[in-house]
Amino acid sequence: MVQHRSGVALGVVAALVGIASVGCGGGGRTAAWEETTAEGAQPVSAEQQSQKDQLVATGDAAWEQRQEEAQLRAAIDAWTQALELDPTDWQLWHRLARAQYFLADGHLAFRDQGETLDPDATAMYQASVTSAERSLQALSPAFAERMRAGERVDQALAVLDAQAVPALYWRSAALGKWARRDGFATLLAYKDEIRAIMTRVLELDREFFFAGPDRYFGAFFAVAPTYAGGDLERSRQHFDYSISRFPGYFGSHVLYAVEYAVKAQDRALFERELRFVIDGDPNMLPEARAENLAEQRKAQEALARADSLFE
């Protein structure tokens, strides 16, 4: 089986359907709300607010150059320092989660060598999960308390509204990638939670991150075996929606190729979608230029494996 790195949905999909993956872990993790509560944060002084504002601005400037690993790390460092001054800033927490996810997915994971996974990428996915959880905890102490009390995630999600979408989305994306790398037992442990959360994201904001929820379910219905809900027609419908809404986001095309086209054994579609990405202008969607550059690398890697993917 080919190891994938394409798109935010793929690791999550593996977790949902219980696909065997590299790694034999089964290790667990402690959620942020199990370690701390959102209560008791001290008010930010005027001096601290000034320092925080400067750090956020520094991080923002570096983020604009996130296609360069050093700049992305600088953004993460600056935002982390800002959050040490004000840990109640739930919006900055989910921005940090996205940055940590992209460092893993758009930079570090390219250092994987077959079944030898880059440990820094694995750790960064986990850091992204924690940052997203801290965002949810700061945004909704009620949600964190429900989770801490052992309530089912599909029930606890009811207290969240659209403001929680970024944190929910990046937590699901990073958790799926981390779980896949950790091992089969970990995938199984988180599969129901991840699917419930992404379903809620789809309900709250279908357009988020370039129609990311549809991209996710497009991959899910392609990868899942029939007995677990797999359905190529539903997969195609979700991908069609995601691509039609944001054709300039290359991640949807890559995922459509490596999941749907491979499952359907449609090599012409596979090559067409990947060539679209490889030959395309990453500035088709200027706000996603850095992500598109990473997707071009993924497309090149996938196209090089074409002979092993098709009969």
Side-chain angles (χ1 to χ4, degrees):
M1 180 178 181
V2 175
Q3 181 181 346
H4 301 293
R5 291 197 293 260
S6 304
V8 293
L10 193 49
V12 183
V13 171
L16 281 171
V17 300
I19 296 173
S21 70
V22 292
C24 58
R29 61 176 299 277
T30 302
W33 40 74
E34 297 292 343
E35 297 180 327
T36 61
T37 68
E39 301 173 357
Q42 298 297 316
V44 178
S45 68
E47 181 180 358
Q48 289 175 320
Q49 185 62 52
S50 177
Q51 293 174 347
K52 177 192 170 185
D53 291 344
Q54 292 177 16
L55 287 164
V56 171
T58 297
D60 291 351
W63 172 252
E64 293 302 314
Q65 303 298 321
R66 62 190 176 278
Q67 70 276 7
E68 299 176 17
E69 183 178 334
Q71 289 295 319
L72 181 54
R73 288 185 181 275
I76 290 171
D77 288 345
W79 290 342
T80 298
Q81 292 178 59
L83 285 163
E84 289 173 353
L85 293 170
D86 180 12
T88 67
D89 189 338
W90 59 272
Q91 292 172 307
L92 189 56
W93 274 119
H94 71 62
R95 295 183 67 198
L96 178 62
R98 177 183 173 183
Q100 291 166 326
Y101 179 90
F102 186 58
L103 178 56
D105 193 66
H107 292 280
L108 302 178
F110 285 106
R111 300 172 189 170
D112 293 345
Q113 297 294 325
E115 294 188 2
T116 303
L117 304 181
D118 183 85
D120 292 336
T122 303
M124 194 55 60
Y125 282 125
Q126 188 167 16
S128 175
V129 176
T130 299
S131 294
E133 289 173 346
R134 295 200 183 284
S135 176
L136 292 169
Q137 185 178 26
L139 172 65
S140 177
F143 172 76
E145 182 56 37
R146 287 188 174 202
M147 293 297 290
R148 192 179 300 115
E151 188 169 334
R152 279 174 35 189
V153 67
D154 57 336
Q155 296 175 336
L157 286 168
V159 304
L160 298 174
D161 60 19
Q163 290 185 104
V165 163
L168 290 173
Y169 183 85
W170 293 114
R171 181 180 184 271
S172 294
L175 183 59
K177 289 290 184 77
W178 169 78
R180 187 182 188 193
R181 296 167 79 91
D182 194 66
F184 183 67
T186 308
L187 299 180
L188 294 179
Y190 288 103
K191 64 182 180 65
D192 293 335
E193 178 178 330
I194 293 172
R195 187 176 186 183
I197 289 174
M198 195 60 78
T199 297
R200 182 62 171 157
V201 172
L202 180 66
E203 294 170 350
L204 290 171
D205 187 356
R206 190 176 186 181
E207 306 296 284
F208 182 74
F209 201 66
F210 316 115
D214 278 277
R215 184 166 55 250
Y216 162 80
F217 281 108
F220 168 72
F221 287 117
V223 171
T226 302
Y227 67 81
D231 186 328
L232 279 179
E233 178 57 24
R234 292 182 71 180
S235 169
R236 184 190 62 77
Q237 291 172 1
H238 281 289
F239 276 125
D240 282 351
Y241 180 85
S242 186
I243 290 172
S244 68
R245 294 292 297 124
F246 300 96
Y249 181 68
F250 290 170
S252 298
H253 298 274
V254 172
L255 207 56
Y256 192 25
V258 301
E259 295 301 357
Y260 176 87
V262 171
K263 185 68 171 287
Q265 285 294 284
D266 188 339
R267 185 161 183 166
L269 175 64
F270 176 85
E271 294 183 352
R272 185 188 75 205
E273 292 297 308
L274 295 182
R275 284 295 180 192
F276 175 85
V277 172
I278 293 168
D279 298 334
D281 180 359
N283 288 308
M284 285 181 64
L285 196 63
E287 61 268 38
R289 178 177 181 272
E291 289 77 9
N292 279 346
L293 288 170
E295 296 299 332
Q296 286 181 319
R297 293 181 66 184
K298 295 177 186 178
Q300 291 169 339
E301 287 189 353
L303 192 60
R305 300 192 299 267
D307 289 343
S308 67
L309 299 174
F310 294 90
E311 299 177 355

